Amino acid sequence: MSSSNAAAVSAFIEGAPPGELADVIADIKILTVDEPKILQSAEPAFQKYNEEQLTTVKLPGGSQHVIISSHNSLGGGRYYDVESQSSFGFDHTTQKPSAVQSYSVESQHIDVIKSLLKALSAHAREHYPSSTYAVFPTSSDSSLAILLVANKYSPSNFWNGRWRSTYHFNPSTSSLNGTINVDVHYYEDGNVRLTTNKAVSISLPSSSAQSPDNIIRHIALAEKKYQEELNRGFNALSEGAFKSLRRQLPVTRQKVEWEKISSYRFELYSITVLYFARESLRVALQRHDSDAAGEGDGGNGQGKEKKEKGRVVESYAFGQRAQEVVNLSYIAVALGPPLAYIFASLYLRKAGPIVLGTPYVDGSLRIYAIAAFLELLSEPCFVIAQQQMLYRTRALAETSATFTRCILTCATAIWASKTGRDLGVLPFAMGQLSYALILNVTYYSKIWTVSINGGFSLFPKALYIKTPSRYVLSRFSRPLLTLALNLYAQSGLKHLLTQGDSVLIALFTSLASQGVYALASNYGSLLARMLFQPIEESSRGVFGRLLSTSTTSSSPSSPPQKTISHFATLSLADHTTPTNHPPHKNILSARTYLLTLLHLYSLLSLLLTAIAPTLSPLLLRLLAGPAWTTPTSPASSVLSLYCYYLPLLALNGLLEAFVSSVATPSQLRDQSMWMLGFSAGFAATGYLVLGVLGMGARGLVLANGVNMVVRIWWSWGFVSGWFRGEEGGRRERRGLALRVVEILPTGPSMIGGVITAVVLQYLKRGFTGGVGDLIKTVGVGGVYGICL
C-alpha cells in the first residue's frame, strides 16, 4: 500500500459531505479493490472526521442522540455524555456505539454545566428541530465547551446539510468565543458544496455572566444574525449566479422529480380497474327501461282478477326497475377485487427500479386497490341516482369526495415537505382513499331513504318474475347481460385509445418529456373532467331514455310490454320482436338536445382556443412557480398546445355518448373494427412524431389530436346516418339529417375569436409573468366572452 494512496483515502474521508460518509466509503472500496486493508489504516482519518463534524449517535437503549467530539473523549475510543451519565465505546469506521457504562463527570462547574444544558435544550428545540447539543468541561476544567449540531438530509432531492456551533465559555473571565460552521452539499447532475464558518466573540456583562439563560440568549442572537447573513447570500446566489446555471425550484421549493412524475401511474391503475369493472354495465343500464315489473300482466286484460293483478304489479313497477339495476350493479362490485389484483400484479412486474424504489410504493398501491373497491361499493347508489335523475345527490357526493381528496392530499404533501419526510405517492393514495369513503357515506346517506320509500333494497335481491328464463338466478336480466358483454368487447380498444398515450410516451420519450406531458395532461384535462365529462355521462342517459323502442312478445295475443332499449330488443330476437322505432317526438327532442349541446360546445371551444393558450402558462406560473414559464421550460408550450386538443376531446365524447346509446350489436361490432384501425393509426402517428421526429410531449399531443379527429369523423357519420334513417340495412329518410352549419358559431363570433387570440399574442410579448398579465388576459377574454 503506497503512502500516496493512504493520504488520498484519508483526504476523501475527512472531506466527506454531511451524511455521506457511507457513500464515500463505498466508493473508496470500489477504487481500492486491490488494497482491501487500506481502510484499516485510515482509522485516524475516521476519528478526526467524527470528532470535527460532531457526529451524533444513539446509544443502545437510549432515546436521544449524543455527540462525538474531542471534548468528551476519554481515550481508547471511549466517550462520555453528561446528560445520560454514561460512557461508551465508539467504532469510528462503522459509527456504532458499544459497551455503555455508567459515568459521572467530575468538574468544579458541574452545576453550571447542568444549568447550561437546560437552557441550551430550550434554544435547540425552538430553532433546530433536528439537533443534538452538549456541554463538557475542557481538559483543564478552566472553561466549558458548548456544542450544538443540526443535520438535515434530503438525498431524494440531492442535498444534505449540517450546522455546527462550538463555543468556549470561561466562567472566571466571563468570555464567550466560538465558531459557527455550515456545510451544504448539492449534487443534482453536478457537485456544488458550500462550506463556510464564522468566528464569534461575545462580551458578557460581568453582573450576569454566570446566568446560563443569558449566555444562551447571546448565543441565539449571534446565530440568528449569521443565519440572516446566509439567507441574504443564498438569495443573491439564487437570483444571480445560479439563475443562469439551472432552473429555479417550483413554489414548493422541492426538486421536480420528472422520473417520478411519469412513474406515478396509480391514477391510471385506478382508472383501469374502475373502467373494466363498471363502464360497460353503466352504459347498459343507461339504455335500459326494465320490463320486469310488467311481466305479471298477461292475457288479454279481460276479467276482474287480471285487472286487479295488473294494478298490484303496477304498484311494484318502480321498485322492480330499481331492484333490477341494483342487482346488476353488484356485478361491477364482484369484478373489482380480481381486476385490482391482476392489474396490480402487471403494474409491479412492469415497473422499473425508480418506481419500485419510491418510498411507500407497495403500501400506496394497496391503498389504491382498496379505494377502487370501495368506490365500486357505491355503484348501487350511483345507478339509482342516474336512473332517477338525482343529479343534485350525485353532484353533492362527487363534489364532497373530490374536495376531501384535494384537501387531504395537499395537507399530507405539505406536512411531509415541512417535516423533511419523503412520502412518495402516499399522499395521493390517502387522498384517493378519502375520496372513496366520502363517496360511499354521501351516496348511502341520500339513497337509503329513496330505497325505503321506493320499496327496493340496495343489496342484491330476487325479482318477482313469471319468465325465469329471461333472468339469471332470478336477479340479473339476460338482455342486459348480453348488452354488457357486447359493450365489454369494445372496452379494451376504447381504453387503449384513451390511455394509449401513456404507453407511447413511455416507449419513445425521455423521462423529462414524460414528466412534462403528465403535468400538461393533468392540468389541461381539469376542464374536461369538471365540465365535459358530467355532460357526456348525463347525455348518455338522456339519449338512452328518449331513443328506446317498444317491443311486443312473439305471441300475437300478448299485450304491449314495458319499454326496453333498442339494443336489448334486438339482442333478444327469439323472445321479442321490434314493432316500431322511437316516437318521432322523441327523435326530435334528441336531435334538438344534441344540436344544442354541439352548438354550445362550439362556442366554448372558440372561447377556449382564443384565450386558454395564453392564459394557461400564466396559471401554471401561479400554481407551480416561475421556472415553468421560462423559454427553456417545455411545460408551458405543451400546456398551451393541449388547450387546442380539449375541444376535440369534448366533441368526441358527446358524439360517442350518442353512439353508445343507440347502436345495434352489429353497429357496435363495426365500431370495434374501426376502433382497431384507429388504434393502429394512433400507434403509427405516435411512432412518427415521437420515435422518428423526436417531438417529445408536443408530438404526443399532436398524435392524440389526429386520433380524436378520425374518431369524430366516424361518430359524426354514424349520427348523421342514424337521423337520416340509415339503420338495419334500410333507408328510411326522416328528414332530420344533421348539418355542420347548425352547430358552428356565427361568422362574427369566429372573427371575434381570431381578433381576441391575435390581441393576446401581441400583449404576450410584454408579459413578465406577474398578476397584471393575468388580469389583462382575463379582461380581454371576459370582454370576448360577454360579446360571444
Side-chain angles (χ1 to χ4, degrees):
M1 178 179 63
S2 66
S3 59
S4 59
N5 287 348
V9 167
S10 297
F12 285 146
I13 294 171
E14 294 172 10
E20 300 173 41
L21 180 61
D23 298 323
V24 172
I25 294 174
D27 292 340
I28 291 174
K29 290 180 179 179
I30 295 174
L31 294 173
T32 60
V33 65
D34 296 332
E35 300 179 81
K37 296 184 179 181
I38 194 169
L39 287 175
Q40 298 178 4
S41 64
E43 177 69 21
F46 282 113
Q47 180 175 349
K48 182 179 181 181
Y49 174 85
N50 289 321
E51 292 183 349
E52 288 186 351
Q53 294 294 321
L54 303 184
T55 297
T56 60
V57 62
K58 183 181 290 187
L59 300 181
S63 59
Q64 295 181 342
H65 285 79
V66 298
I67 288 178
I68 303 298
S69 74
S70 59
H71 301 288
N72 62 326
S73 175
L74 296 175
R78 294 192 63 82
Y79 297 83
Y80 71 91
D81 179 63
V82 175
E83 277 199 307
S84 62
Q85 296 184 344
S86 60
S87 67
F88 54 92
F90 183 74
D91 187 326
H92 288 282
T93 304
T94 62
Q95 295 186 327
K96 299 292 184 182
S98 61
V100 180
Q101 300 175 1
S102 177
Y103 181 84
S104 297
V105 63
E106 296 181 0
S107 172
Q108 60 178 331
H109 306 297
I110 188 63
D111 293 335
V112 179
I113 291 174
K114 292 180 179 179
S115 299
L116 282 173
L117 281 172
K118 183 177 180 180
L120 188 59
S121 172
H123 166 66
R125 285 196 305 270
E126 181 178 358
H127 298 286
Y128 307 95
S130 301
S131 62
T132 306
Y133 55 89
V135 179
F136 303 113
T138 59
S139 56
S140 61
D141 201 22
S142 60
S143 61
L144 303 176
I146 303 173
L147 311 178
L148 186 146
V149 57
N151 301 305
K152 191 164 186 179
Y153 306 142
S154 185
S156 62
N157 290 316
F158 300 98
W159 64 263
N160 298 301
R162 175 175 294 148
W163 172 288
R164 289 173 292 148
S165 301
T166 303
Y167 302 95
H168 289 87
F169 171 63
N170 191 323
S172 60
T173 61
S174 300
S175 63
L176 181 63
N177 302 296
T179 304
I180 301 174
N181 295 274
V182 176
D183 190 347
V184 180
H185 184 214
Y186 185 80
Y187 49 98
E188 180 197 11
D189 297 330
N191 192 15
V192 179
R193 187 173 182 183
L194 171 69
T195 56
T196 180
N197 62 80
K198 181 178 179 63
V200 178
S201 180
I202 301 174
S203 299
L204 298 173
S206 58
S207 60
S208 58
Q210 299 297 331
S211 171
D213 291 335
N214 186 64
I215 295 171
I216 301 303
R217 184 174 65 84
H218 280 82
I219 288 176
L221 290 174
E223 293 182 350
K224 179 182 178 181
K225 182 179 179 180
Y226 186 51
Q227 286 180 350
E228 292 173 348
E229 293 176 4
L230 287 176
N231 288 336
R232 288 192 293 269
F234 289 150
N235 290 334
L237 285 172
S238 177
E239 297 299 324
F242 287 166
K243 190 173 184 179
S244 60
L245 294 176
R246 66 179 307 276
R247 68 178 186 272
Q248 291 180 328
L249 291 174
V251 70
T252 59
R253 314 313 295 170
Q254 295 292 318
K255 171 190 163 292
V256 181
E257 298 182 86
W258 294 105
E259 67 278 4
K260 289 188 178 181
I261 290 177
S262 65
S263 301
Y264 287 162
R265 298 300 184 187
F266 290 110
E267 184 178 359
L268 174 61
Y269 163 78
S270 178
I271 291 172
T272 303
V273 172
L274 295 175
Y275 181 87
F276 283 103
R278 71 188 184 189
E279 188 65 21
S280 298
L281 282 168
R282 281 187 173 185
V283 176
L285 291 174
Q286 286 174 349
R287 294 179 54 171
H288 175 68
D289 190 3
S290 173
D291 62 341
E295 289 188 3
D297 191 9
N300 57 12
Q302 297 178 355
K304 180 178 179 181
E305 181 179 352
K306 290 185 177 180
K307 290 182 180 179
E308 291 176 354
K309 186 176 181 180
R311 285 195 294 269
V312 171
V313 171
E314 183 65 25
S315 68
Y316 283 101
F318 171 77
Q320 287 286 84
R321 289 195 298 271
Q323 190 63 58
E324 186 169 356
V325 297
V326 167
N327 289 350
L328 285 161
S329 69
Y330 274 92
I331 296 178
V333 177
L335 289 173
L339 287 174
Y341 176 79
I342 292 170
F343 288 121
S345 300
L346 291 174
Y347 178 88
L348 292 175
R349 183 177 300 176
K350 298 297 183 181
I354 294 178
V355 180
L356 297 177
T358 304
Y360 303 102
V361 63
D362 291 334
S364 298
L365 186 58
R366 291 190 181 95
I367 293 174
Y368 263 94
I370 295 172
F373 177 70
L374 291 177
E375 190 170 343
L376 288 173
L377 286 179
S378 68
E379 200 65 13
C381 297
F382 174 86
V383 296
I384 293 298
Q386 283 292 98
Q387 184 192 57
Q388 303 304 316
M389 293 183 288
L390 303 176
Y391 298 129
R392 180 177 297 180
T393 298
R394 182 183 171 188
L396 175 63
E398 296 187 1
T399 301
S400 303
T402 302
F403 179 78
T404 304
R405 176 174 58 188
C406 293
I407 293 297
L408 183 60
T409 301
C410 291
T412 307
I414 292 173
W415 173 80
S417 176
K418 295 293 185 182
T419 57
R421 291 175 169 84
D422 186 2
L423 299 183
V425 77
L426 186 60
F428 298 93
M430 298 301 297
Q432 191 66 24
L433 182 61
S434 70
Y435 176 88
L437 291 172
I438 296 299
L439 198 68
N440 275 276
V441 170
T442 309
Y443 263 138
Y444 277 97
S445 64
K446 296 293 183 181
I447 304 299
W448 193 268
T449 304
V450 177
S451 69
I452 294 175
N453 296 334
F456 65 93
S457 173
L458 289 177
F459 300 98
K461 184 179 178 182
L463 297 168
Y464 299 99
I465 54 178
K466 278 196 171 183
T467 54
S469 62
R470 298 181 62 181
Y471 288 83
V472 178
L473 302 176
S474 299
R475 288 171 172 81
F476 307 110
S477 168
R478 289 187 185 273
L480 282 183
L481 290 176
T482 304
L483 173 59
L485 288 174
N486 278 275
L487 292 171
Y488 264 116
Q490 285 189 305
S491 296
L493 287 174
K494 293 188 71 174
H495 191 69
L496 177 62
L497 285 173
T498 304
Q499 303 296 337
D501 52 1
S502 303
V503 178
L504 284 176
I505 198 168
L507 291 176
F508 298 120
T509 63
S510 64
L511 293 176
S513 293
Q514 294 178 41
V516 168
Y517 181 77
L519 181 84
S521 62
N522 285 333
Y523 278 120
S525 60
L526 282 176
L527 181 63
R529 290 197 295 265
M530 292 188 298
L531 177 61
F532 298 131
Q533 185 177 354
I535 294 176
E536 176 186 335
E537 292 180 356
S538 61
S539 298
R540 188 182 292 115
V542 171
F543 293 140
R545 284 187 290 271
L546 287 175
L547 302 178
S548 61
T549 59
S550 60
T551 64
T552 62
S553 75
S554 58
S555 173
S557 63
S558 298
Q561 300 293 324
K562 291 289 180 179
T563 300
I564 64 175
S565 76
H566 179 63
F567 182 93
T569 302
L570 293 177
S571 66
L572 284 177
D574 56 338
H575 291 286
T576 60
T577 303
T579 60
N580 64 328
H581 294 284
H584 191 68
K585 64 177 183 179
N586 285 14
I587 297 174
L588 287 174
S589 297
R591 183 181 187 276
T592 302
Y593 180 86
L594 178 61
L595 286 177
T596 301
L597 281 181
L598 289 174
H599 184 65
L600 176 62
Y601 272 25
S602 68
L603 294 177
L604 289 175
S605 299
L606 193 59
L607 184 65
L608 187 68
T609 54
I611 301 172
T614 304
L615 181 62
S616 56
L618 297 174
L619 294 175
L620 182 63
R621 179 186 180 93
L622 180 65
L623 292 171
W628 301 90
T629 54
T630 61
T632 58
S633 173
S636 59
S637 62
V638 174
L639 184 58
S640 296
L641 183 62
Y642 199 89
C643 295
Y644 294 104
Y645 167 70
L646 285 177
L648 300 175
L649 188 67
L651 178 60
N652 178 72
L654 183 59
L655 291 175
E656 289 193 350
F658 183 91
V659 173
S660 65
S661 299
V662 302
T664 66
S666 62
Q667 290 168 338
L668 285 174
R669 286 191 290 271
D670 290 342
Q671 186 189 23
S672 297
M673 297 305 297
W674 280 98
M675 288 285 184
L676 186 61
F678 296 157
S679 299
F682 176 57
T685 306
Y687 174 74
L688 175 64
V689 298
L690 299 178
V692 178
L693 301 180
M695 297 179 65
R698 290 176 59 87
L700 188 57
V701 176
L702 292 174
N704 273 314
V706 172
N707 173 57
M708 208 56 62
V709 167
V710 295
R711 289 173 66 176
I712 291 171
W713 166 78
W714 187 92
S715 297
W716 177 261
F718 176 90
V719 174
S720 299
W722 192 91
F723 279 106
R724 286 197 303 267
E726 298 173 359
E727 175 182 325
R730 298 175 298 171
R731 185 176 181 86
E732 191 178 88
R733 186 174 296 278
R734 299 189 178 101
L736 300 176
L738 302 182
R739 294 178 300 168
V740 175
V741 293
E742 293 181 277
I743 65 173
L744 290 178
T746 62
S749 297
M750 290 189 283
I751 294 174
V754 174
I755 294 174
T756 301
V758 172
V759 170
L760 288 176
Q761 288 298 316
Y762 176 78
L763 294 175
K764 186 178 179 180
R765 298 177 182 177
F767 281 0
T768 60
V771 178
D773 299 333
L774 188 62
I775 295 174
K776 291 178 186 177
T777 304
V778 173
V780 173
V783 171
Y784 174 60
I786 294 173
C787 297
L788 191 62

